[in-house]
Amino acid sequence: MRCLRMLVRILVLLYLAGAPALAQTLCQPNASNGYRVRISIKTALGNQAYEWNENEMFLFRATMAFAMRRYYKTETYNVDNIIVCNQTRRVSFWFVVISPENPTMLIPKADVEKAVSMSRHRINNAFLLTDRTLEFLGIYPTLAEPVNPDTPPWLIVFGVVIGAVFAGIIALLVSSLLQKRRKEKGMMEDGQDEEDRQMKGVENGINLDGIYNRGFTDDDRFTKL
Amino acid sequence: KVVHRHRTATDSTRPGNWLDSEWDNPMQFVLACVSYAVGLGNVWRFPYLCQMHGGGGFLIPYMLMLVLLGVPLFYMELAIGQKMRLGSIGAWRAISPYLGGVGMASVVTSMYLCLYYNVINAWSFWYLFHSFQSVLPWAECPVNSNLTGPVEECERATPTQYFFYRETLDISGSIEENGGIHMGQALCLLLAWIIVYLFIVKGVKSTGKVVYFTATFPYLVLIIYLIRGVTLHGAINGVKYMFTPKMEQLAKPTTWINAATQIFFSLGLGFGSLIAFASYNQYNNNFEKQAIVVSMVNSSTSIFASIVTFSIYGFKATFNYESCLERVRLLLLNTFDLAEDTISLENVNHWIAELNRTHPEQFASLGGRLETCDLEAELDTAVEGTGLAFIVYSEAIKNMPVSQLWSVLYFIMLLLLGMGSMLGNVIAVITPLSDLKFISVLSYLVGLVCLFCLLLGLGFTTRSGNYWFTMFNDYGATFSLLFIVLIEVITVCYIYGIKRFEKDVEDMLGHRLNWYWKIMLAGVSPILLIALFIFYIVNYIQGGTPTYQAWNKELGKSVVTEYPPYAQAFIGLLLASSVCCIPLTALYTYCKKRNLASGKRERTVSTVSA
């Protein structure tokens, strides 16, 4: 009996010691079900960049667990289910997701991709980063839907300008029409006065109407003495 | 001794309904000439020539040609217009009945210009209207249909090129592939022609007021742009590059020839616009001073505009260079997994050498992905024409802060420059037509001409329209103008006689022709024109089949393509149609005179016999 209990204790100890080792073998660079993550904090935040340390890594694993929970709509995923390895100074690392029911089974790549895409915005915001500075190599961000307004904005500006131009044309027509009518009325009413003025004009030697005859002015300019 | 000037038939004011058609004051005339001469060529052709032909050194042949060729010919055209007080057809017919065809050739060439030039204004309107958006449409590539990335054509080219070739022009692959009319372009062209109509409908009374604005406002925008341009990061690189003179370029004959042609076309000689403008002058207007002033203003504007252009070039080149460095930096960081702050923009090149030394195999695996970033190469990409105005400039503008404001300002300036030149072109067509008295009411004539040009101009808004536009731009007015002005100078100096011309000028101005004008007009200018003319012919023959740049959407860039035979025939037609007006009219007048003479002889014989 005592032998059996010791055996069980040894097995448990071995299991506890070996589990992380087992987990580590599951996570490897270029693993078939793993993804590489690249983070560029200084590019994104400049002077306000934070240091990447173990706590940030913990946040990453928690966020990934949150993404898996959201995708599968369960509450079984935990920080331990996200395994990270091969961290570099660049701040890039590989991660894999193990199933909570079976620690030796990895969640397939496609499901991880769908989970990440679904919660990408939340993951980015947890780290104050963007799609470009928090890269999941292999998962392409879906671009924003282009905003298609009902009337293209240029047409609106065009409408305003051509409306102004037509207003100008109408103003021109109306003013020339009014001028013509005023002239006709003027000519009918004081036609007599016009004739008198014309006579006077000729007498003074200056032609008010018609062509200004330059032949009789500025003779001095051409005078050579 | 009192000298009375006696009035001749040509002294009368305009016949028909053109009483009262004079500029309100000489300032309007000067501004109209400035507005006409200062056009898009000052902004997009001169900076290119400056860059190609040795920067600051190019100014030497340019100024020399201005003095030898530009100012005398400008003076001559103003003198003719002011003396004859008629448009180009009537004026040349009055000078010499056999050479009335010169005026007709001018009108034909102006007509071609009217057809295609307003399309540029349509493009300016299109870009202007698209500037009123939060993100400029040429700043980013649009997303493709399944939202995975940008449209492929945009990816291979740049967003500004994509916007110009695909969204503005919807250009086809070659001149043979026709397509439908681009509705947006057609609307903008309609707007442009309506505005031109409004500016000219009342003759010089309306035009005279419009040119106050079109002549002065572009300078305001240029000054604002100068201040903005030189304060941009990296602008000084461009300005330094432009002004470093490369004197060895002066040894090449193409430099001098390009300087001469630039002066020639920039002043707008030979179109008949200057004759038309001057015909509305008072008889004693001092056009000598005005000719010098307008030519100087035109050339200084070219130099001023090229400072602005080169500071923008410098900014764009520096921006592209720094983006290239950033991409290389990221590539190195990602490949070698170094911490982010080890490589900065300044020591990228140092690190390239270092990493090549320490990790040669990994460095070799980078292969072709490693770009070489060269500021000189970026500055060397000289562009002219519509490519400069609509692609390079808009690329620079999208990177400026508050880009919408700069975009709006820039395209308003392009519009004013283009409209100002357009006014001169249309007046050059309308003035002689109204002298011929086809249609008595001016507004109907203007409306008819505008409608005609609009309908034909719609052809330039089709999918292959840009290729036809380039053909008109390259061949419609270049060779024919040289020929026209050469005939003009020879006519005035040798057929009409330099002595008669001298007397006319003395009549108008009150003092005799300076020796400078006499030597230039009778000697230097004709010789230079003949040299230019011969050069053009030789260049055309040596150039082989004429080619054009066709946009290839798979490659995302322009490829050189030969014109098909029918297009080459059309080029020949363009050249011949204006040039052969001159000999044909001479022949026609000669035949008419002979018939008249023989008819008179017959009649006299009959009366005597009777």
Side-chain angles (χ1 to χ4, degrees), chain B residues 117 316 421 436:
Chain B
Y117 202 81
K316 177 180 104 69
S421 303
L436 293 175

Side-chain angles (χ1 to χ4, degrees), chain A residues 36 38 40-43 89-90 92 143 145 153-154 157-158 165 169 172 213 219 221-224, chain B residues 1 3-4 7 126 129-130 133 147-149 184 187 194 198 201 284 333-334 337-341 507:
Chain A
R36 187 166 179 204
R38 192 189 288 148
S40 317
I41 309 174
K42 293 203 175 57
T43 315
R89 279 179 306 161
R90 172 70 178 83
S92 70
L143 299 159
E145 182 84 35
W154 77 268
V157 186
F158 172 80
V165 165
I169 293 180
L172 209 72
N213 197 334
D219 266 345
R221 206 191 284 191
F222 305 106
T223 310
K224 288 194 185 78
Chain B
K1 192 170 75 146
V3 174
H4 283 278
R7 291 170 58 84
W126 173 265
F129 295 151
H130 276 85
Q133 291 176 16
L147 297 183
T148 51
L187 284 175
I194 293 180
L198 275 181
V201 70
N284 298 115
L333 283 179
N334 292 345
D337 279 326
L338 305 164
E340 267 184 285
D341 44 5
D507 217 17

Side-chain angles (χ1 to χ4, degrees), chain B residues 134-317:
Chain B
S134 53
V135 174
L136 292 176
W138 54 86
E140 292 171 347
C141 280
V143 196
N144 63 12
S145 39
N146 37 1
L147 297 183
T148 51
V151 176
E152 300 90 57
E153 189 181 350
C154 191
E155 184 98 58
R156 288 179 219 120
T158 62
T160 38
Q161 282 180 317
Y162 178 79
F163 184 76
F164 183 63
Y165 288 113
R166 187 55 46 216
E167 300 204 14
T168 309
L169 301 174
D170 196 12
I171 206 163
S172 62
S174 74
I175 200 170
E176 287 122 342
E177 299 163 30
N178 292 317
I181 294 181
H182 188 297
M183 278 327 288
Q185 286 299 306
L187 284 175
C188 291
L189 187 64
L190 173 72
L191 177 65
W193 273 112
I194 293 180
I195 292 184
V196 167
Y197 173 78
L198 275 181
F199 285 171
I200 302 187
V201 70
K202 292 251 192 240
V204 288
K205 282 296 166 208
S206 55
T207 313
K209 301 197 176 51
V210 165
V211 293
Y212 279 118
F213 187 64
T214 60
T216 52
F217 194 74
Y219 285 100
L220 184 65
V221 178
L222 271 176
I223 291 175
I224 296 176
Y225 250 94
L226 182 71
I227 299 174
R228 169 76 273 206
V230 297
T231 53
L232 283 171
H233 168 64
I236 199 71
N237 294 331
V239 180
K240 234 191 317 181
Y241 185 78
M242 169 187 153
F243 278 115
T244 349
K246 300 182 196 69
M247 285 301 185
E248 61 274 10
Q249 287 282 341
L250 289 185
K252 296 190 345 191
T254 16
T255 309
W256 296 85
I257 288 165
N258 279 340
T261 38
Q262 174 59 17
I263 285 283
F264 188 82
F265 294 128
S266 179
L267 286 174
L269 303 166
F271 284 104
S273 309
L274 297 171
I275 297 181
F277 280 153
S279 67
Y280 301 109
N281 273 343
Q282 300 239 338
Y283 191 73
N284 298 115
N285 178 49
N286 185 2
F287 63 90
E288 179 173 359
K289 202 171 61 165
Q290 290 165 345
I292 299 175
V293 163
V294 173
S295 316
M296 290 301 167
V297 167
N298 182 47
S299 296
S300 357
T301 311
S302 290
I303 299 173
F304 183 46
S306 50
I307 299 178
V308 176
T309 304
F310 272 93
S311 48
I312 305 270
Y313 260 159
F315 166 69
K316 177 180 104 69

Side-chain angles (χ1 to χ4, degrees), chain A residues 13 17 27 33 38 49 70 74 115 118 139 141 143 149 156 164 172 180 186 189-190 196:
Chain A
L13 272 170
C27 171
N33 280 325
R38 192 189 288 148
R70 207 158 156 247
T74 70
M118 192 166 134
I139 303 180
L143 299 159
I156 300 175
L172 209 72
K180 223 190 278 181
E189 283 180 6
D190 26 28
D196 290 344

